[in-house]
Amino acid sequence: MFSRMRMLGIASAAVLVALLGLTLSLSPAVQAQGGATGTPNRLQMTLTAIKAIPTIAATATPAVHAADAATSWFENSTGYLLFVRSFRDTNGDGIGDLKGVIEGLDYLQGLGVNLIWLMPVWAGPTYHGYAVTDYYAVNPQYGTNDDLIALFKEAHRRGMYIILDFVLNHSSNQHPFFKDAYNNPNSPYSSFYRWRNAAHTQYDTFGGFGELPQLNYTTPAVRAYTTALARYWLDPNADGDFSDGADGYRLDAVKFVPSNYLTELRGAVSALNPQALLLGEVWDEPSLIARFLNGASLHAAFDFPTFYALAGNETSVGRGALNGENTATLSFITYLMETSIAPQTRLVRFVNNHDTNRLMSFVKEDMPRARAAAVWLLTAPGVPFLYYGEEIGMSGVKGIGPFYDEYRREPLEWTAAGDDDATTRWFTPPNRNNAPNDGVSVGEQDTTPDSLLNLYRTLGKLRQKSAALRRGNFFYEERSPYILRRWAADDPALYVIVINFGTAPASITDVRPFGQLADRAFAPRWEVLLQEGATFSGENSLTLAPSGYTILTFTETK
């Protein structure tokens, strides 16, 4: 019954293996100042490899992921990456704090968010937190350990989850262990770091930054130390009540940590709390990401290859499928990533984060393209993560010095003027991207029905109530415009998402075949849930303007 459609599938295991080796050979990104400064990705290699693939079989089986009962909460989540320093201030010092995150929970729930990833909250000398001096203590600018525990409790009371950013590849050079071991081979902490000379004055660093010495995972002491840290914050009161602890960790720069240690860590974490999640930042090509997800080390990882197809690279502007480049590639790479990982694992999808330029800058302030990107993110398979401020259209491009990633991590403005008590002021140079009264604030968009903020709210609530969009099966059409179908056994609707990422209008002569599945019957008519730049003509024809989209539902017939 699929003779009129060509579905994305993998023609053979050999093709998949070849793709994993050839496509998206990303230059390993190096995080400077807690941010990525890697060279541009080799997207052209992806396109060359895809062109060499035989015609995809029309009878291909859609990807279906099995549920992992212990971490099923994650696959049903919508995440939000939150930089505490920039989010919300409660004590008037101009710096965001943990009490501000608690105050902002209503706002986040209004977006349909139920999972928060906190950038590092530990004590350390840097603004970004990726140089840690004490993993057992909250940065005093953010509050206290009790404030963090209060956040855990309040989030859990609301049915929300919190994962912490765990920097386990390196510490700060101001960490007491490193300071004791530097120039002191007899230190009890000498084995904690990777030294390059016998005097212990030269050492391996992360990204070439002397303030980030790498930990030495060949020693059992380091493994015991980081494992104890992970277990501690899952249950800080050591009483078996996980309502006052973290729900898991985002593991920073995890590809530099031995995979056999990650297996140990997962075992130790799961033994304490089986529902705890390990989400890895494996910033690399598909084959390496798949390796981490096809063993017993990580529950989930970020999908960097699909991000590169969307945006070009982490520092680009006006590139990738978001801007009409190689739009047909996007579906294929997404499908490739989903079919390369173990069924019980998950991929996180995103259109920007703290290490990339912001979405609005990627699309060169083109609001319709930013809106189309939001539709893609919140309907795509996998677990979506918003980056704070994305929902109001914040801009941000990496600086050229002396400030760099600060421009991609600017304060979230709660009001138009930005002079309220809640808006932080820690980074407000004259050349910042987001100025007062520019339309980019929660207050300016809150009550405007067609604002970007309210589009995110609508999409978040749609995903929240739809099993098909949260964790359902999916099929991509091998064509342009982008066409995605989502469905689930416990959802009566079939969702069809059509987005024109191209630069010219796109037409579909008959939308009815997209409402077909082999084992379920759906009514030939459909309901339009949401659309912009989409026009129906005749009975079944659809025309989409550039950046236009539509979300359709076909209802199952009994």
Side-chain angles (χ1 to χ4, degrees), residues 159-223:
M160 302 176 76
Y161 302 88
I162 306 282
I163 59 174
L164 300 177
D165 208 325
F166 191 9
V167 189
L168 75 169
N169 173 66
H170 52 272
S171 75
S172 167
N173 63 350
Q174 300 304 305
H175 193 288
F177 294 176
F178 182 83
K179 292 175 70 174
D180 190 80
Y182 183 79
N183 198 25
N184 180 17
N186 295 319
S187 166
Y189 303 108
S190 285
S191 65
F192 272 61
Y193 296 92
R194 291 161 44 175
W195 305 100
R196 292 187 173 185
N197 65 349
H200 287 192
T201 56
Q202 299 175 15
Y203 51 92
D204 289 341
T205 66
F206 178 63
F209 294 94
E211 64 267 29
L212 301 177
Q214 286 198 298
L215 292 167
N216 177 19
Y217 278 90
T218 65
T219 177
V222 168
R223 295 179 177 225

Side-chain angles (χ1 to χ4, degrees), residues 293-361:
L293 294 180
N294 290 332
S297 53
L298 299 176
H299 297 95
F302 294 91
D303 183 358
F304 284 97
T306 296
F307 162 73
Y308 272 59
L310 281 163
N313 65 64
E314 67 272 17
T315 58
S316 69
V317 171
R319 299 294 306 278
L322 291 178
N323 294 286
E325 289 188 349
N326 307 310
T327 56
T329 306
L330 178 60
S331 297
F332 191 92
I333 293 176
T334 308
Y335 187 90
L336 166 67
M337 294 302 297
E338 288 289 339
T339 53
S340 69
I341 65 173
Q344 289 77 24
T345 60
R346 293 293 180 269
L347 288 165
V348 165
R349 299 252 149 64
F350 58 99
V351 294
N352 55 183
N353 66 24
H354 64 305
D355 286 336
T356 76
N357 288 346
R358 282 188 171 272
L359 169 61
M360 191 57 76
S361 295

